[in-house]
Amino acid sequence: DTGVSQDPRHKITKRGQNVTFRCDPISEHNRLYWYRQTLGQGPEFLTYFQNEAQLEKSRLLSDRFSAERPKGSFSTLEIQRTEQGDSAMYLCASSQGTGGQETQYFGPGTRLLVL
Amino acid sequence: GEDVEQSLFLSVREGDSSVINCTYTDSSSTYLYWYKQEPGAGLQLLTYIFSNMDMKQDQRLTVLLNKKDKHLSLRIADTQTGDSAIYFCAERYNQGGKLIFGQGTELSVKP
């Protein structure tokens, strides 16, 4: 399967714990996006990378959130000191950004539940 | 401002056409997208339209764009039970390409 993959698919954690999610984009896609989706809502943009560079971060991305894409391939999203309000589906998407039309392909998501 | 709005629910009978509507606020959006999400799954791109187009047809899907009114619609012809899902419209910002999504329209297709 050459689509976007995410790991783990599900994560249950206790409040205050740290969690890390991984996203593997489609090979050679230069852009990678993270979104968060809560129940009954559309995805909300969190941050994106072009190659290794993190170019934009949403106001939603508090200091407890950090994302990296060290070699311009896979990316990790870490949440420190999780809170119940962090419970959501975390979606990753990748694209080949050329400045014109670009299609973002989404992974299956990581569903986080904070108890 | 960033705002995309959709009606929350639509129910149709199998074989009928479905029309899902969306309004957006950013007149500088260059591309508008329709995604489909089935329960527990990620988003699947259905189609997109460039902002200088009025209409795009792709098999059973027809997208209409009224740029003056900032209104986008997705028509699904001959709707099947397998089309039951949540449909999201999204606008793409010029800078960086992030997508701004509506809250989704849940389409229910009854046999």
Side-chain angles (χ1 to χ4, degrees):
Chain A
D1 190 330
T2 56
V4 178
S5 62
Q6 293 186 245
D7 183 68
R9 294 290 308 277
H10 300 91
K11 179 72 178 178
I12 301 174
T13 192
K14 291 184 180 176
R15 191 175 48 184
Q17 298 294 304
N18 299 345
V19 293
T20 300
F21 309 141
R22 176 178 169 127
C23 171
D24 286 88
I26 293 172
S27 209
E28 298 184 5
H29 274 187
N30 62 345
R31 288 186 176 175
L32 188 149
Y33 298 80
W34 285 99
Y35 293 85
R36 182 174 71 185
Q37 185 180 23
T38 53
L39 205 60
Q41 299 298 315
E44 295 173 292
F45 170 77
L46 292 178
T47 188
Y48 96 97
F49 294 84
Q50 179 149 314
N51 301 313
E52 315 78 41
Q54 187 173 18
L55 296 186
E56 187 176 351
K57 292 196 288 188
S58 161
R59 293 187 300 273
L60 294 174
L61 214 66
S62 76
D63 292 345
R64 297 184 297 105
F65 287 69
S66 62
E68 293 182 342
R69 194 182 184 199
K71 296 180 182 177
S73 56
F74 73 91
S75 174
T76 56
L77 177 68
E78 181 183 17
I79 310 174
Q80 295 182 324
R81 304 182 303 282
T82 51
E83 300 173 356
Q84 287 183 325
D86 297 331
S87 296
M89 173 85 92
Y90 290 84
L91 293 164
C92 174
S94 72
S95 70
Q96 184 57 36
T98 59
Q101 201 286 123
E102 64 174 82
T103 297
Q104 291 184 26
Y105 295 90
F106 282 79
T110 294
R111 187 172 292 283
L112 173 66
L113 178 61
V114 182
L115 302 176
Chain B
E2 307 173 354
D3 199 14
V4 178
E5 298 207 352
Q6 301 177 235
S7 51
L8 295 182
F9 299 102
L10 177 65
S11 179
V12 300
R13 293 219 170 268
E14 193 173 20
D16 289 349
S17 291
S18 308
V19 179
I20 302 171
N21 295 300
C22 171
T23 57
Y24 61 98
T25 55
D26 186 6
S27 56
S28 67
S29 295
T30 53
Y31 290 92
L32 296 132
Y33 299 81
W34 284 102
Y35 281 86
K36 175 183 179 182
Q37 187 177 38
E38 298 186 50
L43 277 73
Q44 173 195 351
L45 176 71
L46 291 177
T47 187
Y48 65 90
I49 188 166
F50 187 44
S51 58
N52 70 353
M53 297 170 64
D54 299 323
M55 185 182 88
K56 180 178 180 182
Q57 187 151 3
D58 186 357
Q59 300 183 327
R60 292 190 300 123
L61 305 178
T62 303
V63 179
L64 295 178
L65 175 61
N66 181 329
K67 200 171 181 184
K68 174 175 169 288
D69 294 337
K70 299 191 185 72
H71 182 267
L72 182 72
S73 67
L74 174 70
R75 178 177 179 269
I76 307 173
D78 187 24
T79 315
Q80 303 297 306
T81 53
D83 295 324
S84 293
I86 300 177
Y87 291 79
F88 293 96
C89 69
E91 60 176 341
R92 181 195 160 198
Y93 267 44
N94 279 329
Q95 300 297 325
K98 69 181 180 186
L99 297 176
I100 307 298
F101 286 86
Q103 66 267 55
T105 298
E106 183 176 350
L107 175 64
S108 172
V109 183
K110 301 189 185 312

